[in-house]
Amino acid sequence: MASLVRALMAGVVFLYGGLVCSGAVPPADQNLVLEAPITTWDEAVPLGNGLMGGLLWGEAQTVRLSLDRGDLWDERPAGEREWWKTRTYAKAAALIAKQEYDTVNDWWDSPYNGVTPTKLPAGRLEVTLDPTQRITQFELNLATAEGIVRLSGGASLAAFFSARDPVALLRIPGPAPRSVALIPSGAGPAGGDAGPSSGGAVSQLGYPPAQHGAEGAARWYVQDAADGLKYCVCVAQRRTEGATLLAVAVTSTNDAADVLSLARTRCAAALEAGYEALHASHAQWWEAFWNQSSVTLPPVALAISRQYHLVRYFHGAASRRGAPPMPLQGVWTADNGGLPPWKGDYHNDLNTQMTYIAYQHAGHFDEGLSYLDYLWDRREVFAEFARGFYGTSGLACPGVMSLAGQPLGGWGQYSMSPTMSAWSAHLFYLHWRYTADDAFLRERAYPWCSGVGTCMLGLLKPGADGLLKLPLSSSPEIFDNSPRAWLEPNSNYDLMCLKMLFLALQEMADACGELDKARRWAQAAAALGDFHTDDTGLLLVDARTPLPSSHRHLSNIIGLYPFNLITCEGDAVDARRIEASLAQWDALGTSAWCGYSFSWMSCLRARVGDAEGALRYLDDFCRAFVLRNGFHANGDQTQSGLSSFTYRPFTLEGNFLAAQAVHEMLLQSWSPTPGQRDTEIIRVFPAVPQRWADAAFTDLRAEGGHRVSARREHGATTWLRVVAGKDGTVRIRDNFDGRQPVWNRDGVEKTGEQFAVRLQKGETLEATFAAATEAQARHDRPAVCLSGDL
């Protein structure tokens, strides 16, 4: 039986329970297909290679490719440079103690009100097709990361951003285009979103007009920006085999001083190589990307499955090691004459943390390292920020920052909050936990996180009750930037971020053999005290404030997710806190939620074992909070009453949370005792709704670096496999409703609710199960601690 299972899982195609599994590469029914016309940039087909990005859209005979590059930034501050060295945290705390709130708001909010710093769009390629051709449909082929524009008569234009070379290629069949034009980003209408997210107009930057040029089959423009930044957009073309081949490059002074020469060289080399040759190596890269893992959901979950695969594609298209990490919109900056919403910056009060929350399960570690490398490379910048703003040693990253790592300001309760750094540190910890890479732990994770811990300890002082307190406290983004937003230290959000940081540092120090430091981090975690609750167990905002109304940010319950500080496998106190707090969130409703609130809540419900709740919120997200190309829109696009926010600016973190919700429903591996080494527990199908009676996944990653695969048929687990990521004990939660697994090896022992076996790295543990009874087939028992349907 075990050999049959292995053969099936390794096969190209197998069928069961209405599912068709075709390996890891997404089948065609998962592709993004959009009927023409597409008349706005934010509904376009997204393409990219991490450094460069493009949006493919248009109508009639006009094909547009909006261009972006991750390192195009105008870093000029709005006002004095290094303003944060004179408007310090300590001075603000003294002013707030005197209730001089407006002064502090002006100090920290005004720097954000200028046009810069901001992410910059690169411009647009615009192709006018021959009059005999007309656009009928767009498609994104996920398997090959290729954009398709179907034309009348059956021909198709194809485009891709090479996964291996910093260039894009387009192949246009039939007659030569009537025109090929390059349009600088500031040449269009003033534009920009009209709402509170607007970044203003590109024309406000004050740049000189782009310098256009042409020679032979190439044309280009060179744009002088600010502080010595210059970039070039170049296109070159060639007729070949009845088609027109276009090569596009975007270069900047971050590459070389002579941006034009480099751009022309890249385009010429691409044309010389040809579409097929470059696409072959590009497709190989993407095949390897998809083969890291796979997820198969039943037909009833088609919309969720398509969103899941699209978001995994975003990892490969918008985040790549060696390129800048994804800001709010990734490599798909606005193309409407305006600057990107919220400056296209790095928001660390949930956006960056949640944008990089799903790569660990999927095994896309190189893509995730784009952000961790970025944080590591700027550790001296962050150390200076800790010294100059917080007055401490160690390091801290600003709550809202530019590509260079400079603080941008904004609502100071959050943009200048120290605990945003603690949450960012959690990503280093998770990367280590999911890779079991001890070299990364010693050389990157522990040094960066301990730097943050040092900064936090420099700020924390014993209060009247003897517990460690911050001078200032808040909870994103409760009470906005009003005086009420300054909460009594410590808010539950701050407590949870700090406690998770110190417990993670305890575990990391222990793994590094630094036992004295591990004890000190454990003492720091304990010295914070317990979380704030009322008599029912309800988690408050701070020691005295209940959550007053519906709210978009789940900050006061962050200890449930993404942290594992309050869990469904904890004691009765945990159970009361979970039940009371989620009942309150339900009672307050979703009127003030954004799209990301729904996908975050889906993750959280899955984490506590509420499978049906997880599905409900994920369904709402996919139905109402995505544009037709799959981008997460912050507001309710159906205007059906799910939220009072109905605006449309897109940011990516909601998408990645949606993908992570699928992971959390299929596989969890967190430790019920954070701070203690090697206590993770694998939970297979822990929160799968009844409608997902059949599901499967291959090589999803678990903490400990393990690769886990499993199959579910007719509502019950029928097979699982774990490939050990390190030497040690592998633990698997028994949620199999009394059905006994048949193991492929001896030595598996059952203690309480879990199976355990010692494995060497690379060894495989496999189990099969007898067919479920009718009662069991309804669904395996989830690890749920809720007493009712929430």
Side-chain angles (χ1 to χ4, degrees):
M1 178 64 181
S3 61
L4 174 61
V5 170
R6 283 193 292 270
L8 288 175
M9 291 303 291
V12 177
V13 176
F14 62 90
L15 303 174
Y16 66 89
L19 294 176
V20 179
C21 297
S22 53
V25 176
D29 69 352
Q30 302 295 301
N31 288 349
L32 174 67
V33 179
L34 302 172
E35 299 302 319
I38 301 177
T39 58
T40 179
W41 66 277
D42 58 3
E43 294 184 357
V45 171
L47 303 171
N49 59 14
L51 177 64
M52 292 172 57
L55 293 165
L56 188 63
W57 53 298
E59 73 285 325
Q61 280 81 40
T62 302
V63 177
R64 301 182 182 93
L65 184 65
S66 303
L67 298 169
D68 192 12
R69 182 177 154 125
D71 60 358
L72 297 185
W73 265 83
D74 188 326
E75 292 276 358
R76 291 176 295 173
E80 64 177 292
R81 292 185 181 272
E82 297 187 333
W83 52 268
W84 41 273
K85 289 186 175 180
T86 56
R87 309 173 195 178
T88 65
Y89 188 76
K91 290 179 181 178
L95 289 171
I96 288 168
K98 295 188 289 186
Q99 299 186 0
E100 295 186 25
Y101 305 112
D102 290 343
T103 300
V104 176
N105 275 0
D106 182 66
W107 270 14
W108 292 348
D109 205 6
S110 59
Y112 199 78
N113 293 334
V115 178
T116 60
T118 184
K119 177 74 180 68
L120 300 174
R124 181 195 306 168
L125 170 71
E126 194 160 287
V127 178
T128 303
L129 301 172
D130 184 84
T132 62
Q133 297 175 314
R134 184 178 184 86
I135 301 169
T136 62
Q137 191 182 68
F138 293 83
E139 183 170 355
L140 172 61
N141 185 326
L142 292 174
T144 61
E146 193 172 19
I148 307 295
V149 183
R150 292 198 169 82
L151 307 174
S152 55
S156 294
L157 179 156
F160 70 96
F161 280 63
S162 172
R164 299 190 184 276
D165 300 284
V167 66
L169 284 176
L170 294 84
R171 183 171 57 194
I172 306 170
R178 292 185 62 185
S179 66
V180 175
L182 291 174
I183 302 172
S185 58
D193 292 330
S197 64
S198 174
V202 174
S203 59
Q204 292 178 268
L205 296 171
Y207 296 163
Q211 300 299 305
H212 290 260
E215 183 177 327
R219 63 194 63 202
W220 59 82
Y221 61 79
V222 176
Q223 177 68 66
D224 283 295
D227 294 336
L229 176 67
K230 181 184 295 186
Y231 63 91
C232 175
V233 178
C234 180
V235 61
Q237 61 181 296
R238 171 183 292 181
R239 288 289 295 173
T240 174
E241 298 180 356
T244 301
L245 185 61
L246 302 180
V248 182
V250 182
T251 58
S252 85
T253 44
N254 295 315
D255 296 317
D258 190 347
V259 293
L260 173 57
S261 177
L262 180 61
R264 294 189 64 186
T265 297
R266 287 178 175 174
C267 289
L271 291 178
E272 181 65 25
Y275 193 96
E276 287 76 12
L278 260 67
H279 188 265
S281 64
H282 165 84
Q284 288 173 355
W285 187 95
W286 277 95
E287 182 178 15
F289 171 88
W290 289 115
N291 281 327
Q292 290 297 325
S293 61
S294 67
V295 163
T296 305
L297 301 180
V300 70
L302 181 59
I304 290 173
S305 180
R306 285 175 173 167
Q307 174 69 200
Y308 174 81
H309 286 96
L310 180 65
V311 175
R312 280 195 60 194
Y313 164 82
F314 289 167
H315 276 130
S319 190
R320 191 74 57 80
R321 196 170 194 188
M326 290 179 283
L328 293 177
Q329 291 86 26
V331 290
W332 299 302
T333 303
D335 182 13
N336 59 354
L339 296 167
W342 297 289
K343 302 176 183 288
D345 59 27
Y346 295 93
H347 264 60
N348 295 321
D349 70 345
L350 78 81
N351 304 83
T352 54
Q353 292 94 335
M354 295 310 199
T355 294
Y356 283 95
I357 195 64
Y359 80 83
Q360 299 92 347
H361 266 83
H364 296 316
F365 296 115
D366 276 355
E367 290 70 31
L369 281 167
S370 171
Y371 187 52
L372 300 186
D373 286 349
Y374 164 85
L375 292 174
W376 176 258
D377 292 343
R378 284 155 183 76
R379 62 195 183 279
E380 291 303 322
V381 175
F382 299 150
E384 183 179 2
F385 181 61
R387 287 191 299 271
F389 181 69
Y390 293 118
T392 70
S393 55
L395 61 86
C397 58
V400 178
M401 63 189 182
S402 69
L403 179 65
Q406 67 166 309
L408 300 188
W411 289 354
Q413 293 87 341
Y414 325 112
S415 68
M416 311 305 286
S417 164
T419 52
M420 305 305 173
S421 301
W423 193 357
S424 294
H426 191 61
L427 293 173
F428 278 94
Y429 169 74
L430 288 178
H431 189 91
W432 167 58
R433 292 299 306 131
Y434 278 86
T435 61
D437 184 343
D438 286 336
F440 176 81
L441 167 68
R442 293 188 302 271
E443 296 167 8
R444 294 284 178 99
Y446 184 64
W448 203 92
C449 295
S450 63
V452 174
T454 299
C455 176
M456 300 301 106
L457 288 177
L459 290 175
L460 289 161
K461 306 297 179 188
D465 56 3
L467 300 176
L468 293 179
K469 304 288 178 67
L470 292 168
L472 298 171
S473 196
S474 61
S475 187
E477 296 166 342
I478 291 168
F479 302 122
D480 295 341
N481 64 339
S482 72
R484 294 182 69 196
W486 297 111
L487 301 171
E488 180 179 333
N490 293 317
S491 69
N492 262 338
Y493 169 80
D494 285 338
L495 264 178
M496 292 168 179
C497 286
L498 290 167
K499 193 175 286 283
M500 190 71 240
L501 171 68
F502 293 150
L503 290 173
L505 283 166
Q506 174 192 352
E507 184 179 348
M508 289 189 280
D510 187 14
C512 290
E514 301 193 24
L515 302 185
D516 287 344
K517 291 182 179 179
R519 282 191 289 272
R520 288 199 291 271
W521 292 123
Q523 290 166 359
L528 293 167
D530 199 2
F531 308 123
H532 305 301
T533 65
D534 69 7
D535 293 340
T536 70
L538 175 70
L539 288 165
L540 304 174
V541 175
D542 63 12
R544 62 182 70 185
T545 311
L547 186 68
S549 60
S550 177
H551 198 265
R552 59 191 172 273
H553 197 299
L554 280 60
S555 52
N556 75 312
I557 54 173
I558 194 174
L560 279 67
Y561 188 86
F563 306 148
N564 48 311
L565 297 171
I566 302 170
T567 76
C568 63
E569 293 176 12
D571 57 18
V573 173
D574 278 4
R576 290 176 66 240
R577 290 176 175 182
I578 292 170
E579 185 161 7
S581 300
L582 294 188
Q584 182 199 39
W585 274 82
D586 280 350
L588 293 175
T590 64
S591 63
W593 288 23
C594 288
Y596 63 74
S597 313
F598 287 82
S599 47
W600 185 355
M601 184 59 83
S602 179
C603 291
L604 189 151
R605 296 292 179 144
R607 180 63 67 91
V608 302
D610 181 8
E612 301 306 323
L615 178 61
R616 181 173 71 252
Y617 288 112
L618 188 55
D619 273 340
D620 285 344
F621 174 83
C622 293
R623 174 172 58 87
F625 293 92
V626 295
L627 305 177
R628 66 177 182 136
N629 64 346
F631 282 163
H632 157 238
N634 280 256
D636 177 4
Q637 301 305 291
T638 65
Q639 300 191 31
S640 59
L642 283 170
S643 173
S644 59
F645 291 109
T646 58
Y647 60 168
R648 68 179 283 124
F650 95 84
T651 53
L652 290 173
E653 77 290 321
N655 293 117
F656 290 104
L657 279 163
Q660 182 62 6
V662 173
H663 291 151
E664 292 285 343
M665 295 161 84
L666 299 178
L667 176 69
Q668 297 175 20
S669 57
W670 44 271
S671 167
T673 54
Q676 299 181 25
R677 282 182 60 193
D678 302 325
T679 53
E680 71 278 353
I681 300 172
I682 293 170
R683 303 162 184 84
V684 175
F685 300 122
V688 178
Q690 292 190 38
R691 280 193 287 163
W692 294 9
D694 303 299
F697 60 87
T698 305
D699 285 340
L700 289 182
R701 303 317 199 271
E703 292 194 29
H706 311 305
R707 292 173 180 253
V708 184
S709 305
R711 186 170 71 245
R712 173 181 171 86
E713 297 178 86
H714 308 300
T717 303
T718 57
W719 172 83
L720 69 87
R721 179 183 66 204
V722 179
V723 180
K726 63 178 181 179
D727 297 349
T729 300
V730 172
R731 302 173 187 84
I732 300 172
R733 181 80 169 176
D734 180 8
N735 66 330
F736 307 124
D737 247 354
R739 291 176 304 115
Q740 294 301 310
V742 178
W743 302 103
N744 69 329
R745 61 189 304 134
D746 296 330
V748 181
E749 297 181 354
K750 177 76 179 296
T751 303
E753 294 294 317
Q754 64 190 35
F755 298 97
V757 64
R758 287 195 61 82
L759 298 177
Q760 300 296 306
K761 182 178 180 179
E763 287 187 329
T764 298
L765 175 68
E766 203 164 357
T768 56
F769 297 81
T773 67
E774 182 177 351
Q776 291 166 335
R778 283 195 288 270
H779 55 80
D780 281 349
R781 174 169 46 88
V784 64
C785 58
L786 304 179
S787 63
D789 282 337
L790 291 177

